[in-house]
Amino acid sequence: MMDGHGYESDEQTVSSIDKCYQSLTWKPFQTSNWSSLYNALSQQIPAVGYQVITDKGFNFSTVDDAYVCQKKNHFQVTVHIRVLGNPKYVKTQLGLNPVDNFYLRVFGVKVEAMNQAITIEQSQSDRSKRPFNPVTVTLPPDQVTKVTLGRLHFSETTANNMRKKGKPNPDQRYFMLVVGLYAVSKEESYLVVAHVSERIIVRASNPGQFENDNDVLWQKGHVPETVVSHGRVGINTDSPDEALVVCGNVKVMGTVMHPSDSRAKRNIQEVDSMEQLRRIAQMRLVEYDYRPEFASVMGIDSLHETGIIAQEVRNVLPHAVKQTGNVTCQNGETIENLLMVDKDQIFMENVGAVKQLCKLTNNLEMRIEELELWNQKLAKLKRISSLKQTTSERSPSRFSKISQVPLQKKAPAIKPKKVSGRKEELLQVPTKQQQCSKRIFQTTVIALISVMALCALTISTLYILYVQEEAIEREPPPTQNNFTDIASSLIPSVYTTMTAIKNSMSTTTPHSSAEGQEISFCDILPCDQEYCCSIQQSKMRDMSYEKWLYSEPRNLSKVETNGKWHNKPGFSSDWIDTSISSMQIMENQQVISRHFCRKSLQCGSGIYFYAIPVNKYTPINLRITLEINTTEPLIIYQCRMTLGNICNRGTYNRKKREASPESTQGLQHQWILPVARLFDSEYHFRVATPDLANCSTDQHFAGILYTDYFLYFYRECN
């Protein structure tokens, strides 16, 4: 608001952009003389928000490196004042005095003598000039008060304005403009806040020697129809900090070109596209609205936009964020060190991320094709195996039928009639010859049939083996879809129990598995009480942990099918490694390494068995968290958890066991295990590539599609 005392401003309406893009910069003036304001409860109110804007009348001279004001031309000043609270008192040397009113005062000072004031004049309606008198203002609480002071003039000019040999005078003198807010109490004035401008040259007129100052900024270029400016250019701003600063929208009908010639570059290194993908994944894309007071200053028309937050980008990609200095909003609020984002850097990060995604997609397509070929091959092998089984069942049955044909019974001997002499001998000769011939015939028939059956069986077997070998040589690899059903018919079961582990522990010396290592919390907890189970070792019930123990060494490059070995698929060099990088107990940061492998168990080729002793001083109510880290974003399944003997059944029944997920995905995986409450327990974890394997995947893919880890914890009690 403005109290009317005959002071008038320009009748022209100044746009919001012109109001906020002042030609002069301002800073606080004589802060040591500022007086604090207090409310009716004698409580100090926050500092007054104060902004001074010079709307018109000043032009920057590049030659003089200062703003120039013509004495005969008037200038205009706009002041924004914001008071938080209702000021009632002003602090003086004598204490708190009641405030009668507030007023604004404008005056000039000399740079070389700050105590010398320069009178500011104001043009009247009759074109006469009078000294500018302070303007009384009313400050409503918690509001922004705007006061415009127009038609102002300096009463005198600066000294040494004349040029010397076309160059600025080295003895040039300067003025500065001061705008202050004062509080009046008992006819005494107290400075509340004041701002002073940068240095100003005030000239009496516009002589010819200054007429070409503006022409120096723009010159004709060497190329026809071009204009060159040696310096920084600002559009909708008079303080450009770059070669070109545009506050507002820019329409580009052509393209924006960037130098990219290798001859102009050095230290060329290829970036890691995986890191770029991870950085892009960490950037948050948001929708937001610009604050109106900020948008009006920056020339932003559309308040609602979609983008990123500079502070968040700085944490991920620091070199893409730059500070551009302080920005004063329309309401007087100042944003210090405004952050701006280089979106070209974000674009190049996106290029690397898309490149990595294409690589992963191509890898998945190749793996899918390889698995489909494997599926076709195993499907054919399954048909051949079924045919062989059917043939082997039919061939022995035929042979058995032939072998079971009963021989013809001997004809009952016919008692010859009693004949005499020569006739009896003649009758017995034909009978013996007939019996011999029949036996020879029967034996010959049986032998021929046996030979024919054996030949048929041999021919069918050779044919099946030939077809099988030919199919194996011609057909390549399968998918996981039918792999489990097929492999189960081709490979014998590999399941057995953990009894072998328990028996091996009962026969070996303590800590033999880990070379003296055990899970111990003595570094963080007192070890003065043993927590051994009350049950005796001889009375412990057998645990039927089903464990994947292979009866013979496995070769991951081959799969056995009916005595034949087939080469595994030639996976590409970027096949994801499913082995873990580290495993530890989080509570005591103890690493579980391959030192816990037993010689009698398998530790390699995609399957690892760890027998881990737990110190007898470990409390049964202690929470134990297992952390598994991987170098690639993998998925870990908890395929099996078998609980052994409970050390304290009453305590275990009363407390609920912490819920653990069935699977985790990422680079870091945590599992809460009820190890401390039990004498022994067993856990089966499967580390696999997402969507390529799970707990039901055939075990012969261990080391190819997944890696198995079997952990057996037992309390070490002598």
Side-chain angles (χ1 to χ4, degrees):
M1 297 181 64
M2 178 175 174
D3 195 18
H5 289 281
Y7 305 108
E8 59 185 40
S9 62
D10 288 345
E11 297 177 357
Q12 299 177 356
T13 302
V14 183
S15 65
S16 60
I17 295 179
D18 292 334
K19 294 175 185 176
C20 298
Y21 281 95
Q22 67 272 27
S23 59
L24 293 175
T25 58
W26 299 78
K27 62 182 180 180
F29 179 69
Q30 294 182 352
T31 56
S32 60
N33 297 332
W34 292 5
S35 301
S36 302
L37 300 178
Y38 292 79
N39 57 17
L41 300 177
S42 299
Q43 297 175 347
Q44 184 177 357
I45 64 177
V48 176
Y50 195 71
Q51 181 190 21
V52 181
I53 300 171
T54 50
D55 300 329
K56 57 180 64 177
F58 297 93
N59 296 315
F60 185 78
S61 173
T62 306
V63 178
D64 296 299
D65 193 22
Y67 282 90
V68 178
C69 176
Q70 302 299 327
K71 182 177 179 297
K72 67 177 182 179
N73 297 334
H74 64 263
F75 61 89
Q76 181 171 292
V77 176
T78 300
V79 184
H80 295 83
I81 308 170
R82 181 182 61 182
V83 180
L84 298 178
N86 190 6
K88 293 295 183 181
Y89 299 96
V90 60
K91 186 177 181 180
T92 66
Q93 294 180 353
L94 301 177
L96 299 181
N97 291 341
V99 177
D100 298 333
N101 55 49
F102 295 94
Y103 69 85
L104 284 174
R105 182 187 173 196
V106 181
F107 60 94
V109 294
K110 295 182 179 181
V111 174
E112 65 273 11
M114 300 291 289
N115 56 347
Q116 296 184 13
I118 307 299
T119 303
I120 301 298
E121 298 177 343
Q122 186 175 40
S123 298
Q124 305 300 313
S125 57
D126 58 355
R127 295 185 179 274
S128 62
K129 298 179 180 179
R130 296 179 184 177
F132 178 79
N133 294 325
V135 177
T136 303
V137 295
T138 303
L139 302 179
D142 302 326
Q143 294 184 15
V144 177
T145 302
K146 173 185 172 184
V147 180
T148 302
L149 308 174
R151 299 183 180 276
L152 303 178
H153 304 263
F154 282 94
S155 61
E156 57 183 275
T157 61
T158 54
N160 301 328
N161 289 338
M162 299 300 294
R163 297 279 177 86
K164 288 187 176 182
K165 297 181 180 181
K167 296 182 179 180
N169 194 327
D171 296 328
Q172 175 72 58
R173 297 293 183 261
Y174 302 93
F175 291 162
M176 291 192 297
L177 189 62
V178 179
V179 181
L181 175 67
Y182 294 81
V184 179
S185 176
K186 299 179 182 181
E187 298 182 356
E188 293 290 336
S189 298
Y190 300 94
L191 179 61
V192 177
V193 61
H195 281 185
V196 62
S197 70
E198 57 185 304
R199 62 183 187 175
I200 303 169
I201 299 176
V202 180
R203 291 172 179 163
S205 60
N206 195 7
Q209 60 176 325
F210 304 124
E211 288 180 355
N212 296 326
D213 283 356
N214 293 331
D215 296 339
V216 177
L217 299 177
W218 296 92
Q219 298 177 358
K220 185 177 181 180
H222 297 289
V223 181
E225 299 181 0
T226 59
V227 178
V228 179
S229 174
H230 297 282
R232 297 174 179 176
V233 179
I235 300 178
N236 285 339
T237 177
D238 54 11
S239 56
D241 55 353
E242 301 291 347
L244 175 63
V245 177
V246 180
C247 290
N249 298 330
V250 179
K251 289 185 178 180
V252 180
M253 302 306 176
T255 58
V256 179
M257 308 297 292
H258 297 272
S260 186
D261 197 316
S262 62
R263 295 171 295 179
K265 303 176 182 179
R266 66 176 183 176
N267 298 331
I268 300 175
Q269 297 179 358
E270 189 172 358
V271 298
D272 186 1
S273 57
M274 176 61 74
E275 289 296 327
Q276 291 182 314
L277 177 60
R278 291 177 180 175
R279 286 196 290 264
I280 289 296
Q282 294 176 12
M283 294 184 188
R284 190 165 58 105
L285 190 64
V286 297
E287 291 185 358
Y288 54 86
D289 294 327
Y290 282 114
R291 293 165 52 188
E293 57 271 17
F294 173 79
S296 61
V297 172
M298 302 303 293
I300 300 174
D301 296 333
S302 177
L303 298 182
H304 184 79
E305 288 189 4
T306 301
I308 52 183
I309 306 300
Q311 284 79 359
E312 298 178 359
V313 175
R314 183 168 58 180
N315 296 332
V316 180
L317 199 65
H319 61 273
V321 180
K322 297 181 180 179
Q323 294 182 356
T324 58
N326 299 343
V327 174
T328 303
C329 299
Q330 186 178 8
N331 60 356
E333 181 183 356
T334 300
I335 301 177
E336 297 182 355
N337 295 325
L338 181 70
L339 299 180
M340 301 191 74
V341 177
D342 183 2
K343 292 191 175 181
D344 285 341
Q345 294 288 338
I346 307 297
F347 173 76
M348 299 311 298
E349 290 289 315
N350 281 323
V351 171
V354 172
K355 182 179 178 181
Q356 181 64 23
L357 290 176
C358 292
K359 186 186 298 183
L360 294 176
T361 304
N362 293 336
N363 292 341
L364 291 176
E365 290 179 354
M366 293 176 60
R367 293 167 189 168
I368 291 173
E369 292 177 358
E370 291 172 353
L371 292 175
E372 286 178 350
L373 293 175
W374 268 57
N375 185 36
Q376 296 174 3
K377 178 179 178 180
L378 287 184
K380 194 166 185 178
L381 290 177
K382 184 177 180 180
R383 292 194 298 269
I384 295 174
S385 178
S386 301
L387 178 60
K388 178 181 177 181
Q389 185 177 2
T390 304
T391 306
S392 61
E393 290 177 354
R394 291 179 179 177
S395 298
S397 62
R398 294 176 181 174
F399 183 80
S400 60
K401 289 180 180 178
I402 297 174
S403 61
Q404 292 174 1
V405 174
L407 298 176
Q408 294 182 0
K409 295 182 180 180
K410 296 180 181 180
I414 301 175
K415 295 181 180 181
K417 295 180 180 180
K418 293 181 179 181
V419 289
S420 58
R422 183 70 177 171
K423 289 185 179 180
E424 183 177 354
E425 293 178 0
L426 293 173
L427 290 174
Q428 289 179 355
V429 171
T431 303
K432 291 180 180 180
Q433 292 178 351
Q434 291 177 357
Q435 291 177 355
C436 289
S437 60
K438 287 182 179 180
R439 290 179 181 177
I440 293 172
F441 176 77
Q442 292 175 353
T443 303
T444 303
V445 171
I446 293 173
L448 291 175
I449 293 175
S450 300
V451 171
M452 292 174 62
L454 182 60
C455 292
L457 179 60
T458 303
I459 292 172
S460 61
T461 303
L462 292 176
Y463 176 75
I464 291 173
L465 293 177
Y466 170 76
V467 172
Q468 179 180 350
E469 291 180 356
E470 184 179 8
I472 291 172
E473 292 176 356
R474 293 183 180 179
E475 298 290 338
T479 40
Q480 185 185 349
N481 300 335
N482 300 327
F483 193 90
T484 304
D485 297 335
I486 298 170
S488 62
S489 65
L490 302 178
I491 305 170
S493 175
V494 294
Y495 289 99
T496 180
T497 64
M498 280 293 293
T499 306
I501 297 180
K502 291 187 59 182
N503 292 337
S504 66
M505 290 181 197
S506 62
T507 58
T508 57
T509 60
H511 314 301
S512 62
S513 63
E515 298 180 357
Q517 296 186 16
E518 61 180 2
I519 303 300
S520 175
F521 298 88
C522 292
D523 294 338
I524 59 176
L525 295 175
C527 291
D528 53 359
Q529 181 180 355
E530 296 184 3
Y531 295 90
C532 286
C533 296
S534 59
I535 56 177
Q536 299 297 327
Q537 182 73 14
S538 59
K539 296 181 180 180
M540 289 176 54
R541 62 183 178 86
D542 268 345
M543 298 182 300
S544 59
Y545 302 111
E546 287 191 351
K547 202 74 170 176
W548 289 23
L549 294 174
Y550 289 83
S551 58
E552 59 184 3
R554 300 171 63 254
N555 188 348
L556 294 178
S557 64
K558 298 182 179 180
V559 177
E560 186 179 9
T561 306
N562 294 331
K564 296 293 181 179
W565 296 89
H566 309 292
N567 293 329
K568 73 171 187 179
F571 293 110
S572 56
S573 60
D574 57 350
W575 184 260
I576 295 179
D577 183 11
T578 57
S579 61
I580 65 175
S581 61
S582 64
M583 187 185 336
Q584 66 176 357
I585 303 297
M586 291 188 61
E587 282 72 13
N588 60 353
Q589 300 297 314
Q590 185 167 355
V591 178
I592 298 178
S593 61
R594 296 192 181 182
H595 293 295
F596 289 98
C597 288
R598 286 187 176 274
K599 296 181 179 179
S600 59
L601 303 178
Q602 182 175 353
C603 273
S605 301
I607 300 175
Y608 298 88
F609 293 96
Y610 292 163
I612 306 169
V614 181
N615 188 278
K616 61 184 177 180
Y617 298 106
T618 303
I620 60 176
N621 58 350
L622 181 65
R623 167 174 168 164
I624 295 181
T625 305
L626 179 67
E627 180 184 78
I628 301 176
N629 299 310
T630 58
T631 57
E632 299 286 344
L634 303 175
I635 185 170
I636 297 182
Y637 299 96
Q638 187 181 32
C639 296
R640 188 181 303 275
M641 178 176 65
T642 309
L643 305 181
N645 296 283
I646 301 172
C647 287
N648 192 333
R649 186 173 299 277
T651 304
Y652 183 73
N653 290 338
R654 286 195 302 269
K655 294 183 179 181
K656 293 183 178 179
R657 181 167 58 87
E658 294 86 345
S660 295
E662 295 182 357
S663 63
T664 59
Q665 189 167 355
L667 297 173
Q668 188 179 59
H669 313 262
Q670 295 181 1
W671 303 84
I672 300 175
L673 307 179
V675 172
R677 301 190 183 102
L678 305 171
F679 179 83
D680 51 357
S681 56
E682 177 256 336
Y683 309 90
H684 172 199
F685 295 100
R686 175 161 291 180
V687 185
T689 304
D691 301 329
L692 292 184
N694 52 33
C695 289
S696 61
T697 305
D698 188 89
Q699 59 268 27
H700 283 88
F701 277 105
I704 302 177
L705 300 180
Y706 63 84
T707 302
D708 276 341
Y709 291 88
F710 298 91
L711 309 181
Y712 176 66
F713 292 88
Y714 64 95
R715 189 174 289 270
E716 185 70 274
C717 292
N718 296 330

